[in-house]
Amino acid sequence: MSMDFYEAVRARRSIRNYTDQPVPKEVIQRALSAALLAPNSSNLQTWGFYWVKNPEKKQKLVEACLSQRAARTAKELIVVTAEPGRWKRNRARMISELDRAKAPKFMYPYYEKLIPFTYGFQFLAPLKWLIFNLVGLFRPIVRRPWSPRDREEISIKSAALASENFMLAIAAEGYGTCPMEGFDECRVKRLLGLRFSDRVVMVISVGEPELTQGVWGAQIRFDPKEFIHEV
Ligand SMILES: Cc1cc2nc3c(=O)[nH]c(=O)nc-3n(C[C@H](O)[C@H](O)[C@H](O)COP(=O)(O)O)c2cc1C
């Protein structure tokens, strides 16, 4: 690693054209390890990172990404998924990990009672909505997740944070990435054998940026005053 954090943040751009230079596998491995360290909701780690290496699958993935140049010229392709259905399995694993991690006692009821109530009992979804909103009339209360859609959203947030960790790590290593949502999700899911409830959050291409067409112009951002609110 050669860059400091802010250098890596500034160096990261979306790369739409890569050279033929391969990316060392250690670079991808280190960046994937960084992705796994991202903050994630309730530490349930309901995400997946598919490093597509098989040449036939890779070709199909490029086609599923509409053969866009950022995918076509990429040396490596990573599919980041949200897998909300994993909450049950990972909750049980968390409970067994708490002992090993010498976690504080109050964390047990969180995983033993609160997570199953909010994530499970989907047939009670309207009732949960009602309970949250009735209690919310009198005191602050977290109002989601009460529906499968909320569970999905929570997993997508965490997977997106992991994606950014991955891309910043790759930038710090001196390579380029492009996050893509321009893909056919049904085809990508079929290709990877994903479940119905899984979502493809991003396909991330990786490679050495090509100097003339790699980056499409200077980075455009609007006036920070429009977005940063000190209230
Ligand atoms: C969720 C998401 C999906 C994106 N999908 C695509 C895509 O399919 N193809 C593409 O060329 N760029 C894609 N981009 C890249 C954006 O266009 C890019 O981040 C934006 O124009 C800002 O440029 P910069 O990343 O160089 O700062 C995507 C970015 C994000 C965060």
Side-chain angles (χ1 to χ4, degrees):
M1 292 266 181
S2 54
M3 289 188 200
D4 86 2
F5 175 74
Y6 289 101
E7 265 183 291
V9 168
R10 275 189 292 269
R12 188 216 57 80
R13 291 295 314 278
S14 292
I15 305 300
R16 273 58 178 248
N17 197 27
Y18 299 98
T19 69
D20 286 335
Q21 196 65 28
V23 180
K25 69 174 190 311
E26 295 76 16
V27 167
I28 305 289
Q29 283 162 347
R30 282 196 292 268
L32 285 171
S33 302
L36 292 173
L37 293 180
N40 66 92
S41 187
S42 297
N43 210 8
L44 287 173
Q45 304 166 59
T46 52
W47 50 27
F49 305 87
Y50 296 80
W51 182 2
V52 179
K53 294 174 167 178
N54 175 291
E56 238 171 73
K57 283 196 171 148
K58 213 166 158 187
Q59 181 51 35
K60 285 204 174 121
L61 180 58
V62 169
E63 283 163 25
C65 292
L66 318 176
S67 297
Q68 52 178 300
R69 189 184 275 262
R72 212 169 64 230
T73 64
K75 283 288 140 275
E76 304 295 340
L77 289 169
I78 313 289
V79 181
V80 183
T81 59
E83 306 188 2
R86 294 268 189 223
W87 76 268
K88 224 180 227 175
R89 185 194 68 176
N90 292 358
R91 174 196 85 100
R93 282 168 152 190
M94 272 305 291
I95 291 170
S96 56
E97 292 282 329
L98 290 177
D99 276 342
R100 214 164 52 84
K102 297 189 173 54
K105 285 277 166 277
F106 64 79
M107 288 181 75
Y108 286 83
Y110 183 82
Y111 288 101
E112 284 165 351
K113 296 199 173 79
L114 192 66
I115 292 288
F117 175 69
T118 51
Y119 277 68
F121 304 107
Q122 280 312 307
F123 60 99
L124 295 177
L127 183 67
K128 281 198 264 182
W129 178 87
L130 194 65
I131 293 172
F132 291 155
N133 284 288
L134 278 178
V135 176
L137 288 174
F138 304 101
R139 66 169 177 85
I141 182 172
V142 177
R143 301 184 190 224
R144 291 166 193 271
W146 61 268
S147 69
R149 175 70 193 88
D150 291 341
R151 260 184 357 203
E152 180 183 285
E153 186 179 284
I154 285 172
S155 293
I156 292 173
K157 286 182 200 175
S158 300
L161 291 174
S163 300
E164 179 67 345
N165 265 21
F166 176 81
M167 290 188 283
L168 289 178
I170 293 286
E173 298 267 5
Y175 290 89
T177 55
C178 187
M180 291 176 279
E181 61 189 349
F183 53 74
D184 178 331
E185 189 174 11
C186 291
R187 283 189 163 74
V188 178
K189 282 176 73 167
R190 208 178 314 134
L191 181 70
L192 300 177
L194 299 177
R195 281 153 302 197
F196 181 74
S197 62
D198 296 341
R199 294 294 312 273
V200 179
V201 176
M202 257 174 257
V203 179
I204 304 178
S205 60
V206 188
E208 182 189 69
E210 196 275 324
L211 284 180
T212 55
Q213 293 171 57
V215 172
W216 289 348
Q219 198 168 33
I220 301 171
R221 290 295 188 268
F222 306 128
D223 186 344
K225 284 203 233 60
E226 265 188 57
F227 307 108
I228 299 173
H229 310 285
E230 292 187 26
V231 292

